[in-house]
């Protein structure tokens, strides 16, 4: 097996009041460290979500991920947060049996499915059951990705309705949002909700 491990931590243009991770650690500025784990099936848009959030870029090329760790410093409610975002390989009903490797050491989980793929929605329900038994009250958010402006409802591209996503989120008591990395829709909001 060849494992690819990438850290995306390149410099980005910052807003005036943003700090880089190094600046933050070397300053007396108070901050909070948070680790967020993205879970979902293969090709649901986890990496695209991170790329849009971190770099404000989008590519529709799919390259399977083994693991990517992304770091970003952000400011929320006048508090700096040093985020470590972990994008694991796409889970399947078979790989999630090792759920204990996903259950510990994270502050939040992003449960991600593709609104154009009903199987990815069913899988995220299964993933939720497995990690919730181990992680308990750790924060979670349900995210329906690929809610692009060009979804043609007359051709039935969408397989999971917004209503279905919202109902499941209500059932598991977590926030819900639909995003589009392509259209840069609700990306920042998803990370703020968690």
């Amino acid at each position: 097996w060849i494992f690819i491990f990438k850290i995306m931590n390149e410099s980005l243009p910052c807003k005036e009041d943003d700090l880089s991770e190094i600046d933050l650690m070397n300053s007396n500025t108070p901050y909070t460290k948070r680790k967020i784990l993205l879970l979902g099936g293969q090709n649901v848009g986890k990496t695209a979500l991170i790329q849009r959030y971190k770099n404000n870029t989008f590519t529709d090329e799919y390259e399977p991920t083994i693991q990517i760790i992304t770091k970003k410093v952000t400011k929320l409610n006048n508090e700096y947060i040093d985020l470590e975002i972990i994008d694991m390989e796409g889970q399947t009903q078979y790989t999630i049996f090792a759920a204990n490797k996903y259950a510990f050491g994270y502050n939040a989980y992003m449960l991600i499915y593709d609104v154009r793929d009903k199987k990815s929605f069913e899988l995220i329900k299964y993933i939720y059951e497995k990690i919730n038994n181990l992680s308990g009250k750790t924060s979670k958010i349900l995210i329906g990705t690929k809610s692009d402006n060009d979804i043609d409802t007359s051709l039935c591209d969408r397989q999971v309705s917004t209503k279905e996503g919202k109902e499941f989120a209500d059932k598991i008591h977590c926030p819900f949002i639909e995003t589009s990395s392509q259209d840069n829709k609700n990306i920042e909001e998803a990370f703020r909700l968690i």
Side-chain angles (χ1 to χ4, degrees), residues 6-71:
K6 251 197 294 196
I7 296 182
M8 296 171 60
N9 199 19
E10 57 275 358
S11 298
L12 296 175
C14 294
K15 297 176 192 157
E16 229 173 82
D17 59 350
D18 283 348
L19 297 172
S20 72
E21 182 184 15
I22 293 169
D23 291 339
L24 188 61
M25 290 187 312
N26 291 331
S27 73
N28 290 328
T29 305
Y31 68 95
T32 304
K33 288 184 85 71
R34 293 282 180 252
K35 286 176 76 173
I36 300 172
L37 181 62
L38 279 66
L39 294 170
Q42 297 174 340
N43 200 24
V44 296
K46 297 182 302 292
T47 303
L49 183 81
I50 292 173
Q51 287 176 341
R52 180 59 86 173
Y53 179 64
K54 170 78 178 184
N55 302 324
N56 198 24
T57 60
F58 173 77
T59 179
D60 56 5
E61 294 175 16
Y62 175 68
E63 191 174 314
T65 301
I66 301 298
Q67 180 176 6
I68 296 176
I69 297 176
T70 303
K71 294 181 178 257

Side-chain angles (χ1 to χ4, degrees), residues 140-155:
K140 298 166 186 74
I141 183 172
L142 181 65
I143 300 174
T145 60
K146 302 185 184 180
S147 179
D148 308 328
N149 290 333
D150 66 354
I151 289 182
D152 186 346
T153 53
S154 66
L155 297 176

Side-chain angles (χ1 to χ4, degrees), residues 34 36 53 74-77 81 83 107-110 138-144 166 169 173-179 185-194:
R34 293 282 180 252
I36 300 172
Y53 179 64
T74 189
K75 193 173 184 181
L76 180 63
N77 299 328
I81 301 171
L83 290 176
N107 302 103
Y109 297 97
M110 291 182 149
T138 303
S139 296
K140 298 166 186 74
I141 183 172
L142 181 65
I143 300 174
K166 178 77 173 116
H173 309 290
C174 77
F176 167 72
I177 195 166
E178 289 185 342
T179 65
K185 179 175 112 184
N186 290 335
I187 304 299
E188 289 280 337
E189 291 82 354
F191 281 89
R192 291 190 182 281
L193 282 172
I194 197 72

Side-chain angles (χ1 to χ4, degrees), residues 1 39-42 88-102 123 126-127 130:
W1 290 83
L39 294 170
Q42 297 174 340
M88 298 296 288
E89 66 185 312
Q91 289 77 46
T92 68
Q93 63 184 15
Y94 305 107
T95 62
I96 200 63
F97 280 122
N100 58 344
K101 77 177 182 180
Y102 305 118
L123 178 62
Y126 184 76
I127 290 170
K130 292 294 181 185

